[in-house]
Every structure is written in C-alpha cells, then in structure tokens.
Amino acid sequence: GGEGCSTHWYHRPVLAIALDPDYATSRTFATGGLAGQLILSSRGWFGTRDTILHAGEGPIRAISCCSAMLAWANDVGVKVYDTANNRRVSFIERAACSVAADT
C-alpha cells in the first residue's frame, strides 16, 4: 500500500533536504531552496504541518540533522537550531574571503 508514501509540492526548486534521524517514527524532515526558506515538515494525525523556521537570507544551500539539532547554510553563513526546544543556538558567519556559493 501507499500508506508509507507522501508527496510534497513546492513553488520553487528545492536545493537541500534532511530527514530527521528518527524519520521512521517522527515523519519529520527539513527542506530549503531558492525561495530562501527553511521549512520543517512533519506528518501527524491531521495531515502535514509545515513550519517556516527561517527566511530572508538567500537560498538554503545545505541542511544537516543530528539528533535534535538542525543546521543549514545560506548566503549569510551557517545556523544551528534546536528542534526539541524550538530555538536557534548558534550562528557561524560566512567568511568575507569565501567563494560565492553560486560559482
């Protein structure tokens, strides 16, 4: 059956996705892309819930998940978010001498 499958539609191209390490039970994942939004999606009894965790600093280029920590990179730098406590815990500014992400 298709009970373990789901489809998600986005208006802009997705550049990065990360599954929760416990995806099999949590059904939670993060996506980001050209729209410049980091979206945390979770599936529950009442359907899918999308939460915008971050927006407005350029495309989300990479996402990584480790336990309850979610890290992502955009044009400004790398940010780390604690999904268990719903708060940002760290920011690493992009070095001024770094190569542009779109080259």
Side-chain angles (χ1 to χ4, degrees):
E3 65 188 54
C5 299
S6 63
T7 302
H8 297 270
W9 296 95
Y10 298 95
H11 298 287
R12 301 286 301 270
V14 172
L15 298 177
I17 184 168
L19 298 178
D20 181 314
D22 192 30
Y23 180 79
T25 56
S26 74
R27 297 287 194 229
T28 300
F29 63 97
T31 58
L34 293 181
Q37 296 178 330
L38 177 73
I39 301 172
L40 187 65
S41 300
S42 58
R43 185 169 182 166
W45 290 98
F46 302 109
T48 302
R49 184 180 76 186
D50 291 338
T51 305
I52 298 172
L53 296 180
H54 187 80
E57 292 182 342
I60 306 298
R61 309 238 179 236
I63 305 170
S64 184
C65 213
C66 181
S67 186
M69 297 297 161
L70 180 66
W72 68 94
N74 59 26
D75 291 346
V76 176
V78 175
K79 294 187 168 122
V80 180
Y81 186 85
D82 181 348
T83 59
N85 295 303
N86 296 320
R87 65 184 185 96
R88 196 172 78 187
V89 295
S90 184
F91 168 62
I92 304 165
E93 189 173 0
R94 185 174 173 182
C97 62
S98 64
V99 177
D102 58 352
T103 59

